[in-house]
Amino acid sequence: MQTKRTVSMLLISALLATVSCGSTGTANSEGTTSSSEATTETTVETTAPDPLSSLRKEDFGGRTYTMLGINDTSMSALAPNELNATDLNGDIINDTIYNRNRKIEDIYNIKITAETKPNGDIVSLVKSSVLAGDCPYDLVWVAMSGGSTLATSGVLANFYDFKDIDLTAEWWNQRATEQLTVNGQCYLQLNYIPYTGMLFTHCMFYNHNVAEKYLTESMYDLVRNGKWTIDKFLEVTENATQDINGDSVYDENDNYGFMASFGSVGIFTYSCDQDMVSVSKDGEVKIEIYTEKMQDIVEKVNKLCYEGNRSYVKGVAKEADIAKMFANGQSLFYAGFLSDALLYFRDMKDDYGLLPFPKYDENQEHYYTSVSGGTGMLGIPLTVADPDFTGLITEALAIESYNSVRPAIYETVMEDKLLRDDDSVEMYETLLDGIRVEFAVVYHSSNSDIPFTLWNLTEKKSTDLASYINSRGPRALKAYQKIVDAWYE
């Protein structure tokens, strides 16, 4: 893990004009950089082989590789050229996508094209074209709900059937590989080819100016030392509320320790490393969320949201309003998406930083988060004309997206618009490395709302986990088991 992070940090620093190659050393106790360590880091940067070089080489004679992606409003506003930029325009994200595709085109003598359509149209188009045996697309990017429909309809190919795709590699989401592999089959995945997976990652922001009034510890040191836990979060938000106008009514005009929507509050299930559903090697589905640990999470999150007016938490329809309140300096902490910085924080006067969601306790090894359900999943149509061609180019794009798009997102969205301190580079890497993709979420339906347990209970001001699971668990289990059984038949 440390080697991976070192390489990722070097990729980012290569793009940042304010960071030199010589700054990759490790600080000693006096705060200076060891030259020997700096030399070691530089050696990693200059000698680490490009994973693209390990892929087989082939000249495809100008063949076309076509992607199909989402153009729904929430995505297109942030990512108009997500899959394919047609020319250079000076915007680093656009130009990185352009250069990524042109590089792969040059290596393999191909032409990369992309089409975008509304999510519902993608589902019907892929289903009809695959069933007709004539699907013109090599890679499909569709919202989770659409992706699960395609996967359970039998029109997507198994990623493991492509000899050049390595789902164990870091440019594929490892939690997705683990959770979405059932009986040796994986039909949906997540990587950085569509970069909104990064933009729509759930995260914490905190206001540096407000922190000077209420915090005595470095938030970044808490994260590094593994002490950023839900109990610590309750502690630091306890006394940060102010009734600004003195009317004894806490509303949108006042200041708080924490702000979020109930949807973002639900992410504590992920961040506290609470499993939702498991699938055994024999195909048996189990509901895992009814535990003493989950009961404790429910109680602590309810305390966070309702005790002592420490928090301002509203429905998801108010997410934009809550983000603007944070930008106005009205909260110490705010739970939202990385994309909020691009949408709402451009003119924020106060300095602010980036943090992962808190862990359950100090025994938990990693920090975890999730992505929005609208982020999208990747699938390969079952009837691609040449699986060897599709698999090789998909893997090449995945590698190059990890190498160039991931750090480019940091430079533009994070460095220029969001991250105003060097420590947040590390927090950014921690966030992306902790993205969880859950089987229970990807394949949920109206009969399987287990993923929304914490969200629903907190919104109802309830801690009655037992009643919630008893009323929903049996039908959720039946729905999930039906999906899994189809992959064992």
Side-chain angles (χ1 to χ4, degrees):
M1 180 64 70
Q2 183 61 42
T3 301
K4 172 183 174 183
R5 176 150 301 174
T6 299
V7 173
S8 297
M9 294 287 283
L10 288 168
L11 286 168
I12 289 174
S13 65
L15 282 172
L16 288 173
T18 57
V19 180
S20 66
C21 293
S23 66
T24 56
T26 303
N28 60 25
S29 58
E30 284 75 34
T32 60
T33 301
S34 167
S35 60
S36 61
E37 291 175 350
T39 300
T40 300
E41 294 289 337
T42 302
T43 301
V44 172
E45 182 181 8
T46 56
T47 63
D50 183 347
L52 275 174
S53 64
S54 65
L55 293 180
R56 62 186 173 90
K57 302 299 184 291
E58 187 166 347
D59 185 333
F60 288 104
R63 189 182 304 182
T64 298
Y65 177 96
T66 302
M67 294 180 277
L68 175 63
I70 312 165
N71 70 357
D72 293 339
T73 303
S74 61
M75 299 261 181
S76 59
L78 291 172
N81 303 314
E82 181 147 23
L83 300 178
N84 186 35
T86 56
D87 52 36
L88 298 170
N89 64 9
D91 176 85
I92 190 167
I93 298 180
N94 175 88
D95 292 357
T96 299
I97 299 300
Y98 178 90
N99 290 327
R100 174 195 70 184
N101 289 5
R102 302 299 83 78
K103 179 177 180 178
I104 303 304
E105 286 180 341
D106 291 343
I107 292 174
Y108 296 103
N109 188 16
I110 64 171
K111 178 66 176 178
I112 295 174
T113 63
E115 298 177 19
T116 59
K117 297 182 182 297
N119 185 65
D121 292 352
I122 292 176
V123 173
S124 59
L125 177 59
V126 172
K127 288 178 69 174
S128 61
S129 59
V130 167
L131 293 175
D134 185 26
C135 187
Y137 305 107
D138 294 280
L139 187 67
V140 174
W141 175 52
V142 61
M144 282 188 186
S145 59
S148 64
T149 298
L150 293 176
T152 56
S153 297
V155 297
L156 296 181
N158 181 5
F159 275 99
Y160 290 106
D161 288 342
F162 297 88
K163 64 182 182 181
D164 293 298
I165 292 179
D166 180 9
L167 293 185
T168 67
E170 59 190 354
W171 41 88
W172 296 95
N173 185 284
Q174 293 308 298
R175 182 68 179 186
T177 299
E178 172 192 340
Q179 283 278 303
L180 304 184
T181 296
V182 177
N183 195 27
Q185 301 162 75
C186 181
Y187 298 100
L188 297 170
Q189 250 290 352
L190 182 70
N191 63 25
Y192 301 108
I193 296 176
Y195 59 77
T196 45
M198 288 179 278
L199 293 177
F200 295 155
T201 298
H202 286 274
C203 64
M204 286 270 185
F205 300 95
Y206 83 105
N207 186 309
H208 283 185
N209 296 40
V210 178
E212 291 178 359
K213 301 178 183 178
Y214 297 105
L215 302 183
T216 59
E217 301 173 270
S218 163
M219 294 306 305
Y220 301 129
D221 286 344
L222 284 174
V223 174
R224 294 188 187 101
N225 296 330
K227 298 181 181 298
W228 181 226
T229 65
I230 192 168
D231 284 334
K232 173 59 72 170
F233 192 49
L234 286 168
E235 175 188 323
V236 298
T237 56
E238 185 175 7
N239 299 310
T241 297
Q242 285 183 300
D243 181 9
I244 297 299
N245 55 13
D247 62 358
S248 299
V249 177
Y250 289 90
D251 54 23
E252 68 277 6
N253 299 307
D254 299 306
N255 291 358
Y256 298 88
F258 175 58
M259 287 181 171
S261 71
F262 287 109
S264 290
V265 163
I267 300 304
F268 280 100
T269 305
Y270 301 84
S271 73
C272 291
D273 195 20
Q274 172 61 58
D275 291 333
M276 301 176 187
V277 168
S278 66
V279 181
S280 72
K281 292 182 179 180
D282 297 326
E284 180 185 2
V285 179
K286 291 184 178 180
I287 304 298
E288 303 284 2
I289 203 168
Y290 186 27
T291 63
E292 291 183 6
K293 175 182 175 180
M294 187 62 191
Q295 180 65 50
D296 190 43
I297 294 169
V298 170
E299 292 174 2
K300 287 178 178 178
V301 170
N302 266 270
K303 181 178 180 179
L304 171 68
C305 292
Y306 300 116
E307 184 181 85
N309 297 308
R310 76 174 76 204
S311 299
Y312 184 87
V313 184
K314 300 295 179 182
V316 293
K318 295 287 187 179
E319 284 181 338
D321 294 334
I322 298 169
K324 292 173 184 177
M325 289 173 65
F326 176 76
N328 194 41
Q330 291 181 248
S331 186
L332 175 56
F333 294 97
Y334 163 67
F337 300 96
L338 287 174
S339 58
D340 288 337
L342 195 62
L343 295 171
Y344 308 112
F345 301 166
R346 290 176 181 268
D347 300 320
M348 183 171 173
K349 295 180 180 179
D350 292 349
D351 285 337
Y352 54 93
L354 174 68
L355 296 170
F357 269 69
K359 300 189 296 183
Y360 178 66
D361 58 25
E362 293 184 29
N363 295 320
Q364 183 177 314
E365 185 176 0
H366 301 293
Y367 293 95
Y368 295 111
T369 187
S370 181
V371 291
S372 164
T375 296
M377 301 295 291
L378 292 171
I380 297 176
L382 183 63
T383 55
V384 291
D386 185 347
D388 286 350
F389 166 75
T390 296
L392 177 60
I393 303 307
T394 299
E395 183 76 352
L397 282 169
I399 293 171
E400 187 57 26
S401 298
Y402 184 86
N403 286 345
S404 62
V405 178
R406 175 169 164 148
I409 291 294
Y410 172 84
E411 181 176 0
T412 55
V413 179
M414 309 311 163
E415 177 67 12
D416 294 343
K417 309 294 192 307
L418 187 159
L419 303 180
R420 303 179 182 181
D421 55 89
D422 295 337
D423 293 298
S424 288
V425 179
E426 183 180 352
M427 301 300 109
Y428 172 75
E429 285 293 307
T430 298
L431 269 173
L432 295 191
D433 289 343
I435 294 175
R436 292 172 63 123
V437 177
E438 304 293 317
F439 175 89
V441 176
V442 173
Y443 291 106
H444 87 272
S445 66
S446 59
N447 291 322
S448 54
D449 54 357
I450 291 300
F452 310 109
T453 299
L454 184 58
W455 176 349
N456 289 338
L457 284 173
T458 306
E459 193 162 17
K460 295 176 181 177
K461 299 184 179 182
S462 172
T463 59
D464 191 355
L465 177 63
S467 295
Y468 186 93
I469 298 301
N470 288 337
S471 64
R472 293 164 174 81
R475 71 187 187 203
L477 183 63
K478 183 177 180 180
Y480 288 127
Q481 191 67 62
K482 181 179 180 181
I483 293 171
V484 171
D485 287 346
W487 291 332
Y488 274 84
E489 292 174 354

